Amino acid sequence: MKLELRGITKRFGSLVANDDISVVVRPGEIHALLGENGAGKSTLMNVLYGLYAPDGGQILIDDAPVSFDGPGDAVAAGIGMVHQHFMLVPVFTVAESVALGYEPTKALGILDLDAARARVREISERFGFHIDPDAVIEDLPVGVQQRVEIIKALSRDAEVLILDEPTAVLTPQETDELIAIMKQLKARGTSIVFITHKLREVRAVADEITVIRRGRVVGQASPESTESELAGLMVGREVRLSTDKGHAEPGPETFAVQNLTVVDKAGSTVVDDISFGVRAGEILCIAGVQGNGQTELAQAIIGLVEPLAGSIVLEGAELTGRTVKQRLDAGIGFVPEDRTEDGLVASFSIRENMILDQYDRPPYASGLALRPTVIRDAAEAKVEEFDIRLTSIDDPISTLSGGNQQKVVLSRELGRPLRLFIASQPTRGLDVGSVEFVHKRVIAERGRGVPCIIVSTELDEVLNLADRIAVMYKGRIVGIVPAGTPRDAVGLMMAGVPESEALARVADGSAATMISEAAEEDLP
């Protein structure tokens, strides 16, 4: 099926989100839409999927104009969409989630769950997804939930599949698996519109690349283009893909974790008796495959979970037993891994979200009264400083793209004096220009003498930013190594290989073989 968007324009008040955009997707093609956060990529796809009505332009399928009054019309026309934030019911099973809205029935209109299960099994086996139709959605890892969304689209005979920022919440391993799935779909004739801002993934999988900047198409590119060329086209200026962080001059150790143990709700030990310290003016990156205790470690430091045992000390003061607010008031800046769950209030305005942990203190409050003018002026300054793309600071935070929501969290946490900065996946969902900016801000905090802890599954980010790297595996720290440690050595440690053995393997040239063996054993 050939798909064409011709001159699509979409406005929201005075904001022109899509300005005369034209894109052609050929049968069996992976077509990437590349652009910054807020460039208009998702808006364009929401027009295509019938969620928004265009203010101008046409959608054509096989050269015939079509119009969609809602997603149902798009689905009937052979278009499926996997949203960045999955549209799944947590308590439903896989089969129930896939069937929802298009339920197979038996006599008298009775739901035919057996047919739904059979449909899931058939598609799952065809593409090697290995998904149990009776598994409950909330029990599945994020990468598997995404496969359920793909199965849902394919079960409705989608010939064009829209993937909206599909790797934003995936680990590197899950990303590789998704790329393999996309190639399988292409081989079977499915066209894919791949919305992203990640250059490496675009070059790995796309047949054609359309670059959008501030709502307009600014160029076409081929997968043979370099990452620097794509970044420049996307952002409109030269972008440094590696950060010059300069030489660290750390002071004394001002933050320490000793013998910390955290147990989850099921009684499993997720952080297992770990100890480390961070010096003033130092960036410690915590590396590891998602699910090895990094999330719970960061949550324990800020107080979102209570440790079973251990000590957390900032500048000589014990933090265990203190509330989250008390820890924030003590000078901790915290960027959570899940911004929608722990970092933002969706119904609050953008300016309100910018003061969530500071609303009761000067300059935003005087006694019991808020100071609206000060709050507004500060919010507008942060919008400018962090290049947050929005219509109005009075709009709900839910109206922003995921990347711009992340910028709001970062602007709030980095917009006050800090004694410790902790960020879990700080650049998840951000484009290359924004990543460059965030890295510079973290380095600036280091320069002010703030100890920084960055939790990231992005190995490139870890190697680019860290002064030291602590690698976690199954809740324990495998080793703490300095900046400049070979990439393969850190990769082996992420697979559970002890530090000394990993370094020895790299030295004797056997690291690549060992990494391959680890992958075959299905290590994280």
Side-chain angles (χ1 to χ4, degrees), residues 125-412:
E125 289 172 5
R126 192 193 320 165
F127 293 100
F129 288 170
H130 309 297
I131 294 177
D132 178 4
D134 293 315
V136 177
I137 295 296
E138 64 184 357
D139 295 334
L140 298 176
V142 171
V144 178
Q145 290 186 30
Q146 188 175 69
R147 295 182 193 185
V148 175
E149 286 277 27
I150 293 173
I151 288 174
K152 185 167 70 173
L154 296 176
S155 73
R156 297 165 191 177
D157 301 317
E159 296 181 57
V160 175
L161 184 62
I162 305 166
L163 300 179
D164 186 4
E165 299 284 4
T167 65
V169 294
L170 301 186
T171 67
Q173 287 77 9
E174 289 170 332
T175 295
D176 291 342
E177 291 168 2
L178 176 63
I179 287 173
I181 288 169
M182 291 168 67
K183 290 179 178 178
Q184 288 182 53
L185 291 167
K186 171 189 170 181
R188 293 176 178 267
T190 302
S191 302
I192 297 174
V193 182
F194 178 33
I195 306 172
T196 188
H197 56 255
K198 295 190 176 182
L199 306 177
R200 182 176 297 182
E201 295 163 11
V202 165
R203 297 181 69 231
V205 77
D207 298 309
E208 296 288 340
I209 303 170
T210 296
V211 183
I212 299 176
R213 185 168 71 242
R214 295 186 180 271
R216 295 186 64 89
V217 173
V218 294
Q220 305 289 332
S222 73
E224 286 72 37
S225 303
T226 67
E227 290 189 15
S228 294
E229 289 169 341
L230 291 173
L233 192 58
M234 184 169 73
V235 180
R237 60 176 174 83
E238 184 178 354
V239 178
R240 293 182 64 89
L241 298 177
S242 61
T243 304
D244 181 11
K245 63 177 184 285
H247 180 67
E249 297 181 0
E253 183 177 287
T254 58
F255 177 77
V257 168
Q258 289 291 330
N259 306 114
L260 192 71
T261 298
V262 178
V263 175
D264 66 13
K265 294 178 181 179
S268 300
T269 299
V270 289
V271 177
D272 190 1
D273 191 31
I274 69 171
S275 301
F276 65 90
V278 189
R279 298 165 70 183
E282 177 185 46
I283 299 172
L284 176 72
C285 283
I286 298 179
V289 176
Q290 190 80 25
N292 278 279
Q294 312 97 303
T295 299
E296 292 81 4
L297 171 61
Q299 290 175 335
I301 292 173
I302 197 61
L304 287 170
V305 298
E306 191 67 30
L308 180 68
S311 173
I312 304 169
V313 177
L314 175 62
E315 296 182 359
E318 178 63 57
L319 295 182
T320 52
R322 294 195 189 185
T323 65
V324 173
K325 179 165 175 50
Q326 287 172 333
R327 299 184 201 208
L328 292 169
D329 289 345
I332 299 178
F334 180 67
V335 177
E337 179 178 320
D338 188 340
R339 57 181 170 259
T340 57
E341 185 71 22
D342 299 320
L344 300 167
V345 179
S347 61
F348 280 19
S349 70
I350 295 163
R351 60 181 170 82
E352 289 169 333
N353 273 280
M354 285 180 170
I355 60 165
L356 279 183
D357 53 6
Q358 305 160 61
Y359 68 91
D360 58 342
R361 286 180 286 160
Y364 305 120
S366 177
L368 297 177
L370 292 174
R371 302 176 67 190
T373 301
V374 174
I375 293 169
R376 176 173 294 277
D377 290 346
E380 290 176 346
K382 289 176 180 177
V383 167
E384 179 71 22
E385 181 182 359
F386 283 80
D387 190 26
I388 301 170
R389 308 289 174 83
L390 48 74
T391 304
S392 168
I393 59 173
D394 297 315
D395 289 341
I397 192 77
S398 57
T399 62
L400 296 186
S401 67
N404 280 296
Q405 289 180 6
Q406 184 76 340
K407 289 181 183 180
V408 170
V409 176
L410 286 159
S411 73
R412 182 182 68 219

